[in-house]
């Protein structure tokens, strides 16, 4: 059985786990993903690479739900993602069965992170090559939450975060422009962050919005196009205002 | 014999053994069956031998101010009264209590085990476990030992975010949510008094008195019940023991001895 094989992830003389760091490289090559937490809305956005003409784009969903009140987006190896998502979905239901309560966002994040860590400390397996953004509402208090996990198995809570390709630029943008938002403002903030690194247009962005009452909703391409147009208009207006300051004494 | 020992380990899932790394479900725990002609009959006899009748009376009911839980305190082994002073209401944690009926050792062991699991849940999840969850954990553990001779008929009572909750859990793996339960050989007598006097909006004092009377009447008619009638109250701030009265004293209180004037008085015979 696998457990009797030699470990692949071993320490280097200067204390690095190179397999984990290489996994992080794989994440950095994956598509950009962003998550923003508002007061009553949480938004996940991912970059959609150009779909080949013959591919049915609906079969490639990058933002998935783990339960009625929890959703996940990831960056990195999509095949690894499928496995993690399946295990997380089973755990969500198993938790409902054993303690008659839905999972909290923190619980399922801890579970996924624990799973990722286990694969860095077992024989014959390699770490998962993906970082996840997990969002959801606490089933009891209704408080929104956004968590991120990475291949090493660490996790932490965020107000807004990005992962995958060019995540540093997106995170910088979010740090500069983050403020407490709600509803449509949260969606706009997430799209603006994504537009920093992604070619403009509804074709290249996938957005999902989660609210306490309605759960997860994937936005249609047309809706995204409309919001992008709004954002472009606002940007143009801001540029114009900068160039021609109002002449007042 | 491979028993499911997950109940004795840290917080584990319900479904049998799972290979952690690969997430496959292994076969549920099983044990070697003895070679005999009629296994079902043999199993039935074996269970009858180890499973004592639940010689006890315990009751619990939900009302406006929370839950009242009451029990008597006698253990009997057949006709022998082993003790008049047994604690049949066990505290799982400061806001949940449970009653003991059936095999005393089984009940007390599994309740302590449940207390451990509840505490681990609290530490992992930074919130208290709900009464529904705690009773579900107990049921799952008991179900995996189904048919192996455990004898437990317990009620788990507590106040959580949903308000006061009361669950009946037994060693057959049954679990019922309800607002009025009585368990044990004295339960028919207790039910009679309890169902007759129950109102949802009783004040706590009246509710405790109802429970006390119900236990007293059960001890009066059921030989396996007696000793002390113990009454607990569970409110949003936790449980509190209200009273523990010897049932003989309760008898004198409810039915005080009436002085019957003698028909004939003995008179001193005057000395001759």
């Amino acid at each position: 059985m696998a457990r009797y094989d030699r470990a692949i992830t071993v320490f280097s003389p200067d204390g690095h786990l190179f397999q984990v760091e290489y996994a992080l490289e794989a994440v950095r090559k994956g598509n950009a993903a962003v998550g923003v937490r508002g007061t009553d809305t949480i938004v996940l956005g991912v970059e959609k690479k150009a779909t080949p003409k013959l591919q049915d784009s609906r079969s490639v969903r990058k933002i998935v739900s783990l339960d009625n009140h929890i959703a996940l987006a990831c960056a990195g190896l999509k095949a690894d993602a499928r496995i993690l998502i399946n295990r997380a979905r089973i755990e969500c239901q198993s938790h409902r069965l054993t303690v008659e309560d839905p999972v909290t966002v923190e619980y399922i994040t801890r579970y996924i992170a624990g799973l990722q860590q286990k694969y860095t400390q077992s024989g014959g397996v390699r770490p998962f090559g993906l970082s996840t953004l997990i969002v959801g509402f606490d089933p009891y208090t209704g408080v929104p939450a956004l968590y991120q996990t990475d291949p090493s198995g660490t996790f932490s809570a965020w107000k807004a975060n990005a992962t995958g390709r060019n995540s540093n630029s997106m995170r910088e943008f979010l740090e500069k422009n983050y403020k407490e938002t709600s509803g449509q403002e949260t969606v706009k903030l997430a799209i603006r962050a994504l537009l920093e690194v992604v070619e403009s247009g509804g074709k290249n962005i996938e957005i999902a919005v989660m609210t306490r009452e309605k759960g997860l909703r994937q936005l249609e391409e047309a809706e995204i196009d409309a919001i992008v147009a709004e954002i472009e208009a606002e940007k143009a207006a801001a540029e114009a205002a900068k160039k021609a300051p109002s002449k007042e004494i | 014999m491979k028993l499911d020992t997950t109940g004795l380990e840290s917080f584990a899932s319900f479904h049998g053994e799972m290979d952690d790394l690969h997430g496959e479900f292994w076969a549920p725990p099983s044990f070697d069956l003895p070679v005999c002609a009629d296994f079902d009959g043999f199993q039935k006899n074996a269970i009858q031998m180890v499973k004592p009748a639940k010689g006890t009376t315990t009751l619990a009911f939900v009302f406006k101010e929370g839950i009242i839980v009451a029990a008597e305190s006698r253990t009997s082994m057949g006709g022998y009264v082993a003790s008049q002073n047994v604690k049949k209401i066990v505290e799982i944690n400061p806001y949940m209590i449970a009653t003991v009926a059936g095999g005393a050792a089984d009940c007390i062991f599994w309740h302590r085990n449940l207390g451990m699991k509840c505490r681990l849940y609290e530490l992992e999840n930074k919130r208290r476990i709900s009464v529904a969850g705690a009773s579900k954990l107990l049921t799952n553990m008991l179900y995996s030992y189904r048919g192996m001779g455990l004898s437990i008929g317990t009620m788990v009572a507590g106040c959580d975010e949903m308000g006061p909750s009361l669950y009946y859990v037994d060693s057959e793996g049954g679990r019922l949510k309800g607002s009025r339960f009585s368990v044990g050989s004295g339960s028919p007598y207790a039910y009679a008094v309890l169902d007759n006097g129950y109102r949802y909006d009783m004040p706590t004092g009246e509710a405790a008195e109802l429970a006390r009377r119900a236990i007293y009447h059960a001890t009066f008619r059921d030989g396996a019940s007696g000793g002390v009638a113990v009454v607990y109250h569970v409110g949003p701030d936790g449980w509190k023991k209200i009273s523990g009265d010897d049932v003989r004293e309760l008898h004198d209180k409810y039915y005080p001895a009436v002085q019957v004037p003698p028909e004939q008085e003995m008179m001193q015979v005057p000395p001759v």
Side-chain angles (χ1 to χ4, degrees):
Chain A
M1 276 222 77
R3 63 177 78 131
Y4 298 123
D5 290 349
R6 201 165 54 80
I8 290 173
T9 314
V10 288
F11 278 111
S12 71
D14 57 350
H16 290 251
L17 284 172
F18 279 125
Q19 283 300 306
V20 173
E21 297 185 6
Y22 299 158
L24 280 158
E25 269 306 307
V27 169
R28 260 173 241 132
K29 296 216 169 22
N31 54 248
V34 72
V36 180
R37 184 188 84 192
T39 50
D40 61 354
T41 311
I42 330 175
V43 181
L44 280 173
V46 289
E47 164 195 14
K48 236 179 3 186
K49 298 226 181 83
T51 351
K53 280 220 185 89
L54 294 174
Q55 188 183 75
D56 185 349
S57 58
R58 284 167 306 170
S59 68
V60 190
R61 276 260 160 265
K62 298 196 177 163
I63 304 175
V64 296
S65 66
L66 297 183
D67 202 344
N68 295 336
H69 60 300
I70 313 245
L72 174 148
C74 54
L77 272 53
K78 287 293 171 284
D80 288 3
R82 217 174 49 236
I83 304 297
L84 261 187
I85 290 166
N86 284 339
R87 298 284 295 274
R89 283 173 171 164
I90 292 176
E91 180 60 23
C92 285
Q93 296 312 309
S94 174
H95 188 272
R96 277 180 189 264
L97 182 62
T98 29
V99 280
E100 294 224 334
D101 275 334
V103 293
T104 56
V105 190
E106 200 250 344
Y107 179 91
I108 198 63
T109 307
R110 219 175 337 119
Y111 175 80
I112 291 176
L115 209 48
Q116 287 181 292
Q117 190 280 340
K118 215 173 287 203
Y119 277 71
T120 67
Q121 210 178 7
S122 300
V125 296
R126 61 162 176 81
F128 286 102
L130 71 148
S131 293
T132 69
L133 289 169
I134 302 167
V135 299
F137 288 91
D138 189 302
Y140 320 103
T141 59
V143 170
L146 163 65
Y147 283 86
Q148 188 212 28
T149 72
D150 63 29
S152 64
T154 52
F155 70 94
S156 47
W158 294 76
K159 294 181 193 156
N161 200 2
T163 180
R165 219 161 55 85
N166 297 324
S167 56
N168 285 333
S169 339
M170 284 195 280
R171 209 172 299 121
E172 257 176 56
F173 175 85
L174 286 168
E175 279 176 19
K176 251 189 246 141
N177 294 286
Y178 179 82
K179 54 185 202 303
E180 287 284 322
T181 51
S182 67
Q184 197 67 340
E185 284 303 309
T186 320
V187 183
K188 271 211 215 144
L189 182 56
I191 294 182
R192 276 165 59 209
L194 256 185
L195 286 178
E196 292 284 309
V197 302
V198 168
E199 246 180 70
S200 179
K203 287 199 322 296
N204 301 325
I205 301 178
E206 198 180 299
I207 300 281
V209 181
M210 178 169 264
T211 49
R212 210 169 294 135
E213 300 79 36
K214 302 221 189 84
L216 188 70
R217 192 172 71 87
Q218 309 266 8
L219 294 189
E220 301 280 323
E221 216 179 280
E223 281 182 84
I224 302 175
D225 275 330
I227 303 178
V228 170
E230 246 182 82
I231 293 173
E232 308 272 274
E234 279 173 14
K235 241 197 258 175
E239 290 287 324
K242 240 196 291 175
K243 285 216 184 97
S246 50
K247 295 186 182 88
E248 286 200 8
I249 302 157
Chain B
M1 177 147 132
K2 191 172 190 294
L3 284 172
D4 167 37
T5 49
T6 54
L8 298 166
E9 288 154 15
S10 55
F11 202 63
S13 318
F14 166 63
H15 43 262
E17 300 264 327
M18 183 149 110
D19 180 5
D20 263 346
L21 207 54
H22 299 94
E24 293 139 13
F25 293 87
W26 287 0
S30 63
F31 51 96
D32 293 332
L33 301 182
V35 179
C36 69
D38 171 25
F39 176 67
D40 286 320
F42 165 76
Q43 191 183 39
K44 206 160 77 171
N45 285 334
I47 290 175
Q48 287 302 106
M49 206 170 69
V50 297
K51 181 168 151 180
K54 300 188 173 94
T56 193
T57 310
T58 59
L59 62 87
F61 58 88
V62 178
F63 70 116
K64 195 180 60 174
E65 311 278 349
I67 312 182
I68 294 284
V69 181
E72 40 78 49
S73 65
R74 173 180 291 182
T75 41
S76 46
M77 301 205 285
Y80 169 66
V81 175
S83 168
Q84 291 271 63
N85 235 317
V86 167
K87 234 175 103 141
K88 295 197 187 180
I89 297 181
V90 294
E91 297 112 16
I92 297 175
N93 58 40
Y95 61 99
M96 243 196 287
I97 54 180
T99 58
V100 163
D106 290 339
C107 285
I108 292 176
F109 177 84
W110 286 109
H111 281 132
R112 288 195 61 164
N113 192 275
L114 179 63
M116 176 198 77
K117 284 196 163 186
C118 290
R119 180 64 182 142
L120 285 173
Y121 180 96
E122 259 180 50
L123 287 170
E124 264 194 33
N125 296 286
K126 301 188 188 93
R127 57 179 284 269
R128 284 183 183 166
I129 192 171
S130 60
V131 184
S135 59
K136 197 74 189 276
L137 287 179
L138 183 60
T139 306
N140 294 343
M141 287 191 283
L142 295 181
Y143 185 78
S144 65
Y145 283 91
R146 194 177 134 93
M148 297 192 205
L150 282 182
S151 168
I152 298 176
T154 182
M155 296 179 282
V156 180
C159 277
D160 56 27
E161 285 147 347
M162 285 351 135
S165 304
L166 176 62
Y167 285 84
Y168 165 75
V169 172
D170 68 24
S171 46
E172 308 304 301
R175 174 173 167 270
L176 298 171
K177 183 174 158 81
S179 56
R180 265 199 330 262
F181 286 115
S182 176
V183 178
S185 55
S187 62
Y189 314 111
Y191 268 131
V193 175
L194 180 58
D195 290 340
N196 190 39
Y198 175 80
R199 274 179 322 126
Y200 178 74
D201 40 13
M202 290 185 283
T204 310
E206 194 187 317
E209 180 56 25
L210 176 67
R212 205 172 295 126
R213 255 185 344 115
I215 295 286
Y216 156 74
H217 280 280
T219 61
F220 188 68
R221 289 293 176 183
D222 176 32
S225 304
V228 174
V230 179
V231 181
Y232 277 66
H233 172 252
V234 189
D237 303 323
W239 56 260
K240 181 162 175 290
K241 178 169 170 178
I242 297 188
S243 65
D245 299 287
D246 190 316
V247 297
R248 284 170 302 175
E249 285 166 24
L250 287 179
H251 175 83
D252 290 333
K253 193 174 94 170
Y254 295 137
Y255 303 105
V258 177
Q259 286 288 14
V260 176
E263 286 172 20
Q264 275 185 343
E265 270 199 32
M266 280 188 49
M267 280 201 315
Q268 191 147 27
V269 175
V272 168

